[in-house]
Amino acid sequence: MRTVLGLTRRQAAARAEELQRMVEIRDPDHVARRYPHEISGGMAQRVLIVGAMSCDPELLIADEPTTALDVRVQAEILDLLRRLQRERSLGVLLVTHNLGVVADLCDRVAVMSDSTIVETGDTPALLGAPKHPYTRKLLDAVLDDAPGRPAWQPASREEPRPMNTTASLGPRRAAIDDVLLACRGLRVSFPGKGRRAARTKVLNGVDLDIRPAETLGLVGESGSGKTTIGRAVLGLVPLASGTIHLGGQRIDTAGRARRRTLSRDLQVIFQDPYTSLNPAHTIGDTLAEPLTAHGHTSTEARARIRELLGRVHLPENAAHRLPREFSGGQRQRIAIARALALGPRLIVCDEPVSALDLTTQRSIMDLLLEIQDTTVVAYLFISHDLSVVRCMSHRVSVLHHGDIVETGPAEHITRVPQHPYTRELLLAAPVVDVAEQRRRRTRRTTATQDARHARTRK
């Protein structure tokens, strides 16, 4: 601002504070003193918008501005962009792979494939009646629950996914020996800043069960504690209290040697396929590492690697290549192969498709379901996307501020939610039907205003 607008230091500081309040950063002084890793993803995105708006642009290029955000924060950022566009007569060029975001914000849309614009048009017309095969392919890959949209059918199944018998348990907690994974009363807290700072409570006594060959979806916004549950199961964070049993054996007290043995039964698929693989190791070396660590000979490891690559639909010569030679979807297939190497009974899937585009996301989901059908592995499927969780899971648990507020069959939770927070998540998730998205936005805005008025009256 000092360089482009010619402001003095004091004027620039005042304008920066004004812009922060404009994007609803409620405590600008506090945020200004924080480092990027000390603020949330939504807050960081607001700070970036302040930077982009600082010199009064006429055009704002928003390159995947909501991709890494949960649905509630995503809705807030889209509302903010819409308000800035209206109040400042701002042009916005939105780059995204999320067609629900397009339906929510855009007046017109251009669809690109292989560096070429293949179709353009007004958003309602293009999303409602696409003409190009690639546009239709993108829309077919959308998993939203807008009325009238066909239910997603996995490529690996001819029949819809059967409901697991666990869904009939109702509120009764299964006995520990009836389930593969049993978590009881999980409490986790982290130290605050400074010696005397209070500890931050992350989990407040969480119970959950997963049966063999079942997928339990764990959904909630950023900071709700989803990943902490996954890390606690993997032994990566200590419990303040509670127990975790795998196959009837308590594992939360396991030491390093036993954890190494447990890796045969318990594995993980991380969110980012670009950072979860060692860039200096070939794919063969990556897949061989857990095998040789557990006593497989070189011959056995090579045979197993060929089998694993085939299972995730990659060619045998992939073993001789480095991660940088693969796309994001292919890298996630490699990460899945690594997780399968030792034949685990449970895989913690921590946002495994959130960093991928629509068609790649769908192919990875197909692969995970295909693997579950053939290996009867169970998944703890962690995501902030209720549409993805609905398609992948037998049951869903909704996590809010460290508490599970609702658990039940996936279709029931996502179609007839009982808890207000679950309903908020569903309203915040964008859909590709422009009229339906407008109705959801209105309902969400009304609910937010009502909540604010209720807090004010208190």
Side-chain angles (χ1 to χ4, degrees), residues 18 65 121 167 361 373:
E18 175 192 346
Q361 179 183 90
D373 284 345

Side-chain angles (χ1 to χ4, degrees), residues 24 80 83 182 286 395 432 448:
E24 298 178 358
L80 173 59
R83 180 168 62 81
T286 295
R395 292 184 302 129
V432 298
T448 301

Side-chain angles (χ1 to χ4, degrees), residues 71-352:
V71 289
R72 291 184 74 191
V73 177
Q74 173 179 263
E76 291 173 3
I77 295 300
L78 292 176
D79 287 344
L80 173 59
L81 290 174
R82 188 181 301 104
R83 180 168 62 81
L84 292 176
Q85 185 181 34
R86 181 180 64 251
E87 293 176 354
R88 298 188 168 233
S89 300
L90 182 69
V92 178
L93 174 60
L94 177 71
V95 181
T96 183
H97 66 258
N98 189 328
L99 293 179
V101 170
V102 169
D104 190 39
L105 188 64
C106 298
D107 301 305
R108 294 186 302 121
V109 58
V111 180
M112 290 192 71
S113 175
D114 295 327
S115 304
T116 302
I117 293 178
V118 296
E119 186 169 1
T120 61
D122 292 339
T123 301
L126 188 143
L127 296 182
K131 295 181 174 59
H132 195 275
Y134 180 71
T135 310
R136 291 196 292 269
K137 179 182 177 182
L138 287 179
L139 284 165
D140 287 342
V142 173
L143 303 173
D144 70 42
D145 59 348
R149 282 191 59 79
W152 176 61
Q153 179 60 49
S156 61
R157 287 186 170 87
E158 295 180 358
E159 299 295 332
R161 176 156 232 207
M163 289 302 298
N164 189 286
T165 54
T166 314
S168 64
L169 290 175
R172 180 180 70 83
R173 294 195 317 186
I176 286 177
D177 57 1
D178 289 335
V179 299
L180 175 62
L181 179 74
C183 299
R184 296 290 180 266
L186 300 190
R187 295 182 183 275
V188 173
S189 61
F190 296 126
K193 288 190 173 183
R195 288 184 177 181
R196 299 181 182 179
R199 296 181 68 87
T200 300
K201 295 180 180 180
V202 181
L203 299 179
N204 303 315
V206 167
D207 294 353
L208 59 83
D209 301 310
I210 304 178
R211 292 197 170 211
E214 181 187 34
T215 299
L216 175 69
L218 190 58
V219 69
E221 62 188 306
S222 298
S224 61
K226 307 185 302 296
T227 295
T228 300
I229 290 178
R231 290 171 64 83
V233 170
L234 294 165
L236 299 178
V237 296
L239 297 179
S241 64
T243 61
I244 303 173
H245 288 76
L246 181 67
Q249 301 296 313
R250 187 169 177 179
I251 65 171
D252 56 281
T253 56
R256 180 176 297 182
R258 187 160 174 237
R259 276 287 168 187
R260 184 169 178 173
T261 302
L262 282 171
S263 64
R264 288 185 178 274
D265 294 323
L266 180 60
Q267 281 292 327
V268 61
I269 301 168
F270 293 105
Q271 174 179 355
D272 188 355
Y274 293 94
T275 59
S276 63
L277 301 175
N278 189 324
H281 288 183
T282 66
I283 303 311
D285 290 339
T286 295
L287 298 181
E289 186 174 5
L291 297 170
T292 55
H294 284 265
H296 290 253
T297 66
S298 297
T299 301
E300 291 171 338
R302 284 194 296 271
R304 178 64 172 159
I305 289 168
R306 287 194 296 271
E307 178 187 347
L308 290 168
L309 290 174
R311 175 159 286 175
V312 299
H313 309 303
L314 290 175
E316 283 188 25
N317 64 12
H320 308 295
R321 296 157 62 188
L322 293 168
R324 66 170 180 267
E325 300 176 62
F326 296 90
S327 67
Q330 289 172 323
R331 293 189 199 195
Q332 200 63 302
R333 289 175 183 272
I334 294 164
I336 292 170
R338 179 178 57 187
L340 292 171
L342 299 173
R345 292 189 287 169
L346 173 68
I347 298 178
V348 177
C349 304
D350 189 4
E351 300 272 10

